[in-house]
Amino acid sequence: MNCAAILILTTSCFSWTSAIYLPNRQATKKLKYLLEPPVYAEVTSPRGGNATLPCVLRFKPSHYNVKWTKLEPLRRGSENIVMITNGSAHKPYGLLGPRASLRKAHAMDASLRLSNLELEDNGRYRCELINGIEDESVIITLEIEGMVFPYQSKNGRYKFTYQEAKEACVEQDGTLATFKQLYRAWTEGLDWCNAGWLIDGTVHYPILHPRAECGGELLPGIRSYGPRDRIRDHFDAFCFTSRTTGFVFFVGGPLTFGEAVQVCRGEGGELALVGQLYSAWRFLSYDRCNGGWLKDGSVRFPITTPRERCGGIPEAGVRTFGYPNKTLRLYGAYCYR
């Protein structure tokens, strides 16, 4: 059997690349000092909001520190420490430090508070009690509420190296998605036939409706190429974005791209990013049957109520006309303010 592309959700064709997504079922020792499970093993919050990651002591050893660390599987070198406390004093560290504090609801509370959440805050955090004899820890996952959207280079299909895909997502108000985020998007209806990079350097594509041109008649699921060479290999990108603080609005045309830029500026805004348009569609049910320029030079329109005269596709989504010639005076503009 050809296993160049594997289906994560079936057992018909497994390789070592699919095993990295299986949960760790090894037995863990019962904790002595930290409360487990830690009240909530997963916390969800929108971008711009606040979150409290729970970590509560059962009782205190005579001498101890509690260290909060963000676990980043791609990180190399020193730990990504967020906060260290000895129960009476604490010290923040790193990029998250200025937005981190301790809840201190009671004497046994070592819970971490993060404010003004950013997309990059998504991930797993470790609360570790250290006393030099019986160190122990609990893991809490912070999920930023959001959505995944596929993104392709203006130069065509499969043009991004890993780094280029990462930068492209940031430019469109997003980050490269995690496998968990892509999996959730698949369960919510994402069906996409082009493979894209994820944040861990693996490449996948989600299929709800199996077809010959999209990996064959396998069962629905996440098709995977596994880890790829981040410099030599080229694919599209799966980006993750969340709610925004501003709003998207449409200005009618017809306009060239340059005219669209000026019109948005005249309205006190700028051309919207792709992630901002997807966010408006997903979280504000933005629906507009007019193609409009976006900042990356693409032309798109958001549909929440599918109808024949608006593309004729039965599923809701953000439709695209690709990257037309910027001198064409055919479209309006989607602005963001």
Side-chain angles (χ1 to χ4, degrees):
M1 180 182 291
N2 182 0
C3 297
I6 62 173
L7 183 63
I8 294 296
L9 302 183
T10 71
T11 57
S12 59
C13 178
F14 278 107
S15 73
W16 67 272
T17 58
S18 63
I20 63 175
Y21 302 109
L22 297 178
N24 182 1
R25 294 186 174 89
Q26 293 180 350
T28 57
K29 67 177 182 178
K30 185 173 179 61
L31 301 186
K32 179 177 179 180
Y33 298 108
L34 295 177
L35 182 65
E36 188 181 38
V39 188
Y40 305 105
E42 183 171 305
V43 176
T44 302
S45 185
R47 173 169 57 178
N50 303 322
T52 299
L53 308 183
C55 185
V56 177
L57 279 64
R58 293 177 183 272
F59 66 92
K60 297 181 180 180
S62 56
H63 301 284
Y64 73 96
N65 285 325
V66 171
K67 179 173 69 174
W68 277 98
T69 305
K70 187 175 191 296
L71 304 178
E72 295 182 334
L74 299 181
R75 188 177 178 83
R76 302 292 184 267
S78 60
E79 288 184 293
N80 191 17
I81 299 172
V82 180
M83 180 81 70
I84 296 179
T85 177
N86 62 8
S88 57
H90 65 274
K91 183 177 180 180
Y93 291 86
L95 295 176
L96 275 170
R99 295 187 287 115
S101 61
L102 295 174
R103 182 172 62 179
K104 293 184 177 180
H106 50 79
M108 310 297 278
D109 188 15
S111 301
L112 182 71
R113 278 182 168 170
L114 297 176
S115 62
N116 193 23
L117 293 172
E118 300 175 359
L119 296 177
E120 295 81 1
D121 297 340
N122 188 89
R124 296 189 308 146
Y125 292 75
R126 180 176 62 213
C127 175
E128 184 178 13
L129 185 141
I130 303 169
N131 70 353
I133 301 174
E134 297 176 288
D135 298 350
E136 55 187 45
S137 63
V138 293
I139 304 296
I140 297 94
T141 299
L142 173 61
E143 290 287 345
I144 303 299
E145 181 187 57
M147 64 161 299
V148 172
F149 64 93
Y151 191 70
Q152 190 174 93
S153 167
K154 64 181 178 181
N155 296 318
R157 183 172 182 257
Y158 293 174
K159 298 297 183 181
F160 291 138
T161 64
Y162 172 81
Q163 185 61 33
E164 288 168 345
K166 195 173 181 180
E167 292 170 357
C169 287
V170 171
E171 289 171 359
Q172 299 309 317
D173 192 42
T175 61
L176 273 178
T178 66
F179 179 81
K180 186 175 182 180
Q181 290 165 345
L182 181 64
Y183 179 83
R184 179 168 184 172
W186 172 76
T187 68
E188 294 173 346
L190 183 59
D191 179 278
W192 199 254
C193 202
N194 292 343
W197 291 103
L198 296 184
I199 190 63
D200 62 358
T202 59
V203 173
H204 309 264
Y205 61 102
I207 295 296
L208 276 174
H209 308 291
R211 48 215 186 265
E213 66 271 24
C214 298
E217 299 298 326
L218 298 173
L219 293 176
I222 307 294
R223 310 285 167 84
S224 174
Y225 292 121
R228 308 300 294 184
D229 189 296
R230 301 185 186 191
I231 298 175
R232 292 195 299 248
D233 289 332
H234 294 74
F235 294 96
D236 293 342
F238 286 108
C239 305
F240 178 81
T241 193
S242 185
R243 294 178 182 270
T244 65
T245 55
F247 63 95
V248 173
F249 60 96
F250 181 77
V251 177
L255 304 167
T256 65
F257 176 80
E259 290 169 342
V261 171
Q262 295 304 317
V263 163
C264 288
R265 287 177 181 170
E267 295 288 337
E270 59 183 354
L271 277 175
L273 304 175
V274 176
Q276 292 167 342
L277 184 62
Y278 268 99
S279 177
W281 167 75
R282 173 64 180 271
F283 299 111
L284 301 177
S285 299
Y286 191 43
D287 183 286
R288 187 89 197 191
C289 196
N290 305 90
W293 292 104
L294 296 182
K295 192 171 183 177
D296 68 341
S298 66
V299 172
R300 306 173 194 252
F301 61 100
I303 296 296
T304 57
T305 305
R307 48 219 189 259
E308 186 63 32
R309 67 181 184 88
C310 297
I313 300 174
E315 293 84 15
V318 175
R319 317 282 193 245
T320 179
F321 290 112
Y323 296 86
N325 188 316
K326 291 184 177 181
T327 63
L328 291 177
R329 187 176 281 111
L330 295 174
Y331 310 104
Y334 284 102
C335 307
Y336 178 81
R337 183 172 61 212

